[in-house]
């Protein structure tokens, strides 16, 4: 959901006049195949040369920075071929402003905004600085050879141990006092439309060493705001030329407080770079593959899984009554005596009474990376935006479900599960909410409801993310259903189950 105070950085739009479209098609028919062919040729030449740099070295020798003839001979060749690739794609020249800091002044360069894969052109004016990349990329043709040449820090997003190892390696390199080459990182961690800066990840700031902010600008906005690989390639290569400006800002030396708090360090550098770019510094961040904004410690999906799921169900012919029946089936599965909250796409299709499995697969994709889903997340996030129940009644059902011991209060972990179910996305930062709502170590339903409906930050969360579509903003919500649609576990869509507080 887009915030009112700054634009959504994950929505990209390319607006072309009719004349520009026609011109792009005419030029594209000639330039696109020619330029892609030239780029491919340079890549193929680069491939074996990049492999030769480390050829014959033992694993131990590969774990140290390349020096001597292997560096002075191969480095300029690969640098020249890299520049030739971008030249063939239309980047005839790159304007450089400011002075690049040397290794001792700033062990790491932080680059923003990150708009597309074309941003890697910044490696040319930075003399092929070392980067951080996904380990999965090493299996790609040419790219894998270039990452090996670059002696990149590799991390697997699927393996937590790999992340810990990568962090340790990153800190070791940044604090090596010139032993390892200068590094280059995109602290946003993903691509955006460049109209704002999303929250910086702390990786580049963990070591507490000075950083040099580097700004990227594309005077031709079509490149930076294109959507997807193919569209970026087409709009770039179908132009006569493309401009890029790389600006090196003064080195940022962290304070003692920033050295101790990488998050604070990252936030301050983000604000500095945003001011220099003339764009907002936002609290959007990527969690896994999902863009979220941070409010009150909560991770709020930019695109509400509940709203997306409800919209998809409506498109597949489910009316209000069918949705309500399906939700009650989910609640039966999640409650005592049920089969559990985890369900496959096939099971979800059965619960939704869908003949076609694909919509169920799509719903699973809104909540997880595979064809499984936590039904409690689907139930509560869809119920919240469907208008089938009031928010207080829905919170009552959620509180009852996650108060697993029936003690009338929630632990911080249980609150995390509850908010994750309501928002349709795991919540790992509920400490602030728990502290605000609990009294003497106890978090009751009444106290939680009061904070969520009266505290300015959390009231905004409820109004924006847990509000029925088409209903007027304001709390409490009105119940839109008549009667009691109670399920087999005694939980109901209108909150008919009363929870006794101790």
């Amino acid at each position: 959901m887009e915030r009112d105070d700054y634009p959504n950085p994950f929505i990209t739009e390319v607006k072309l006049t009719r004349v520009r479209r026609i011109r792009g098609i005419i030029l594209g028919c000639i330039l696109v195949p020619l330029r892609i062919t030239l780029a491919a040729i340079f890549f193929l030449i680069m491939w074996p040369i990049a492999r030769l740099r480390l050829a014959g070295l033992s694993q131990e020798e590969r774990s140290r920075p390349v020096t001597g003839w292997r560096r002075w001979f191969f480095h300029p060749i690969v640098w020249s071929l890299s520049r030739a690739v971008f030249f063939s794609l239309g980047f005839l020249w790159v304007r450089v402003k400011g002075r690049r800091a040397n290794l001792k002044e700033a062990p790491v360069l932080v680059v923003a905004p990150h708009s597309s894969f074309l941003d890697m052109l910044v490696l040319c004016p930075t003399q092929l600085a070392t980067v951080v990349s996904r380990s999965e990329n090493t299996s790609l043709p040419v790219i894998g050879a270039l990452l090996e040449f670059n002696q990149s820090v590799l991390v697997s997003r699927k393996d937590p141990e790999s992340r810990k190892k990568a962090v340790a390696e990153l800190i070791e390199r940044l604090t090596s006092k010139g032993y390892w080459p200068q590094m280059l990182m995109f602290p946003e961690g993903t691509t955006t439309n460049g109209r704002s800066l999303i929250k910086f990840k702390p990786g580049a700031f963990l070591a507490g060493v000075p950083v040099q902010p580097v700004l990227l600008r594309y005077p031709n906005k079509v490149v930076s705001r294109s959507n997807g690989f193919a569209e970026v390639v087409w709009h770039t290569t179908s132009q006569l030329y493309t401009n890029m400006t790389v600006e090196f800002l003064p080195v940022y030396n962290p304070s003692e407080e920033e050295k101790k708090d990488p998050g604070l360090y990252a936030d301050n550098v983000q604000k500095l770079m945003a001011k220099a770019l003339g764009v907002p510094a936002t609290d959007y961040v990527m969690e896994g593959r999902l863009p979220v904004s941070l409010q009150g410690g909560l991770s709020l999906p930019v695109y509400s899984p509940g709203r997306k799921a409800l919209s998809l169900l409506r498109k597949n012919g489910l009316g209000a009554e069918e949705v309500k029946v399906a939700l009650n089936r989910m609640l039966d599965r999640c409650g005592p005596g049920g089969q559990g909250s985890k369900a496959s796409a096939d099971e979800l299709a059965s619960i939704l009474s869908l003949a076609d499995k694909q919509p169920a697969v799509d719903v699973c994709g809104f909540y997880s990376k595979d064809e499984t889903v936590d039904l409690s997340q689907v139930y509560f996030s869809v119920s919240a935006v469907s208008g089938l129940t009031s928010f207080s009644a829905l919170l009552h059902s959620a509180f009852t479900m996650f108060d697993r011991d029936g003690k009338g209060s929630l632990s911080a972990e249980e609150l995390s599960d509850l908010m994750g179910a309501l928002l349709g996305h795991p919540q790992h930062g509920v400490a602030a909410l728990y502290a605000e709502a609990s009294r003497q170590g106890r978090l009751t339903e009444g106290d939680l409801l009061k904070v969520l409906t009266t505290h300015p930050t959390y009231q905004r969360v409820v109004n924006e993310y847990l509000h029925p579509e088409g209903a007027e903003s304001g709390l409490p919500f009105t119940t839109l259903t008549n009667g009691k649609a109670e399920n087999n576990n005694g939980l109901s869509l209108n909150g008919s189950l009363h929870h006794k507080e101790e």
Side-chain angles (χ1 to χ4, degrees):
M1 181 177 293
E2 186 169 342
R3 293 279 299 275
D4 296 332
D5 43 355
Y6 42 72
N8 187 330
F10 302 103
I11 295 178
T12 57
E13 292 181 300
V14 179
K15 296 181 179 180
L16 300 175
T17 63
R18 186 175 181 181
V19 172
R20 292 192 67 180
R21 287 185 182 277
I22 295 173
R23 186 180 66 182
I25 293 172
I26 295 173
L27 290 176
C29 291
I30 302 170
L31 294 177
V32 172
L34 176 62
R35 284 176 164 168
I36 291 178
T37 300
L38 285 173
I41 291 172
F42 287 125
F43 265 129
L44 290 174
I45 297 173
M46 205 185 323
W47 193 352
I49 296 174
R51 289 292 189 196
L52 285 173
R53 189 188 199 196
L54 300 184
L57 296 182
S58 65
Q59 197 63 37
E60 181 182 353
E61 290 172 319
R62 287 168 177 251
S63 66
R64 299 193 295 265
V66 171
T67 57
W69 71 272
R70 289 179 182 269
R71 178 169 179 81
W72 63 254
F73 180 76
F74 289 108
H75 190 275
I77 296 175
V78 173
W79 181 92
S80 298
L81 289 170
S82 299
R83 184 65 187 94
V85 168
F86 284 99
F87 185 91
S88 65
L89 292 176
F91 290 90
L92 306 186
W93 58 84
V94 177
R95 183 186 180 195
V96 177
K97 298 175 63 178
R99 180 186 68 87
R100 174 192 168 209
N102 61 44
L103 178 57
K104 291 185 178 180
E105 291 175 307
V108 60
L109 308 172
V110 289
V111 184
H114 189 16
S115 302
S116 77
F117 68 92
L118 294 173
D119 295 339
M120 298 310 293
L121 174 56
V122 73
L123 286 172
C124 292
T126 59
Q127 293 301 310
L128 304 183
T130 305
V131 300
V132 178
S133 180
R134 291 185 299 169
S135 59
E136 293 81 2
N137 290 337
T138 57
S139 61
L140 298 175
V142 184
I143 301 301
L146 291 175
L147 291 175
E148 179 182 272
F149 171 92
N150 186 258
Q151 292 190 287
S152 304
V153 175
L154 302 176
V155 58
S156 173
R157 294 182 178 180
K158 301 177 182 178
D159 183 7
E161 290 302 317
S162 172
R163 295 181 185 181
K164 293 178 182 178
K165 182 179 177 181
V167 167
E169 184 178 357
L170 183 63
I171 294 175
E172 178 187 351
R173 292 194 184 192
L174 294 180
T175 56
S176 65
K177 297 182 179 180
Y179 179 66
W180 280 97
Q182 196 170 47
M183 295 199 67
L184 181 148
M185 300 180 69
F186 294 94
E188 290 178 291
T190 190
T191 56
T192 69
N193 59 24
R195 293 188 297 163
S196 62
L197 291 186
I198 67 173
K199 195 174 182 67
F200 284 3
K201 291 182 178 295
F205 310 93
L206 290 172
V209 297
V211 303
Q212 182 173 32
V214 182
L215 308 180
L216 297 185
R217 293 187 177 92
Y218 293 92
N220 185 328
K221 297 298 184 181
V222 171
V223 176
S224 62
R225 293 184 184 178
S226 295
N227 189 17
F229 178 85
E231 190 174 334
V232 170
V233 170
W234 174 266
H235 285 302
T236 303
T237 57
S238 62
Q239 300 178 89
L240 292 175
Y241 62 88
T242 301
N243 294 327
M244 182 185 195
T245 300
V246 178
E247 181 178 359
F248 294 97
L249 297 181
V251 172
Y252 189 103
N253 292 286
S255 65
E256 289 301 317
E257 185 180 6
E258 289 171 327
K259 290 179 181 179
K260 296 176 183 177
D261 186 350
L264 174 65
Y265 189 3
D267 288 344
N268 288 341
V269 173
Q270 179 211 20
K271 292 174 184 176
L272 173 76
M273 296 179 72
K275 183 178 180 181
L277 287 164
V279 300
T282 74
D283 57 5
Y284 285 115
V285 68
M286 289 294 291
E287 289 189 357
R289 298 182 305 172
L290 189 68
V292 303
S293 65
L294 303 177
Q295 294 186 46
L298 300 178
S299 300
L300 308 175
V302 173
Y303 309 107
S304 165
R307 294 192 194 279
K308 290 172 68 177
L310 181 60
S311 176
L312 184 64
L313 295 180
R314 287 172 175 168
K315 288 180 180 178
N316 281 270
L318 274 71
E321 190 61 35
E322 289 83 3
V323 170
K324 184 166 69 173
V325 170
L327 291 174
N328 277 310
R329 288 174 183 162
M330 295 180 196
L331 204 53
D332 283 333
R333 277 282 300 261
C334 298
Q339 300 174 13
S341 63
K342 298 296 182 181
S344 66
D346 288 315
E347 292 173 316
L348 181 59
S350 176
I351 291 171
L352 296 173
S353 299
L354 294 173
D356 184 7
K357 174 186 172 182
Q358 189 55 48
V361 173
D362 294 339
V363 171
C364 289
F366 300 154
Y367 295 89
S368 67
K369 296 180 181 179
D370 52 31
E371 293 185 11
T372 62
V373 70
D374 186 332
L375 291 176
S376 66
Q377 289 189 350
V378 181
Y379 169 76
F380 286 108
S381 63
V382 172
S383 296
V385 299
S386 66
L388 294 172
T389 183
S390 66
F391 176 72
S392 59
L394 188 65
L395 182 66
H396 173 73
S397 294
F399 196 99
T400 302
M401 178 180 291
F402 292 102
D403 178 16
R404 298 181 178 93
D405 297 329
K407 57 185 180 296
S409 66
L410 298 181
S411 64
E413 182 180 356
E414 289 169 334
L415 176 62
S416 176
D417 293 340
L418 182 150
M419 295 307 299
L422 285 174
L423 294 168
H425 180 69
Q427 300 296 318
H428 305 293
V430 298
L433 174 57
Y434 188 84
E436 185 71 32
S438 61
R439 290 184 293 178
Q440 299 179 339
R442 283 176 53 83
L443 175 60
T444 65
E445 180 183 337
D447 289 334
L448 179 59
L449 177 63
K450 181 179 179 180
V451 169
L452 291 177
T453 55
T454 60
H455 188 282
T457 298
Y458 300 111
Q459 184 184 47
R460 180 176 182 177
V461 170
V462 173
N463 275 329
E464 292 186 357
Y465 292 86
L466 302 173
H467 193 273
E469 290 184 323
E472 294 181 1
S473 180
L475 294 168
F477 305 145
T478 56
T479 304
L480 303 181
T481 54
N482 296 317
K484 298 181 179 181
E486 185 174 290
N487 78 329
N488 295 334
N489 294 304
L491 299 175
S492 69
L493 283 173
N494 63 3
S496 59
L497 176 67
H498 297 285
H499 187 81
K500 182 179 180 181
E501 295 185 3
E502 295 179 5

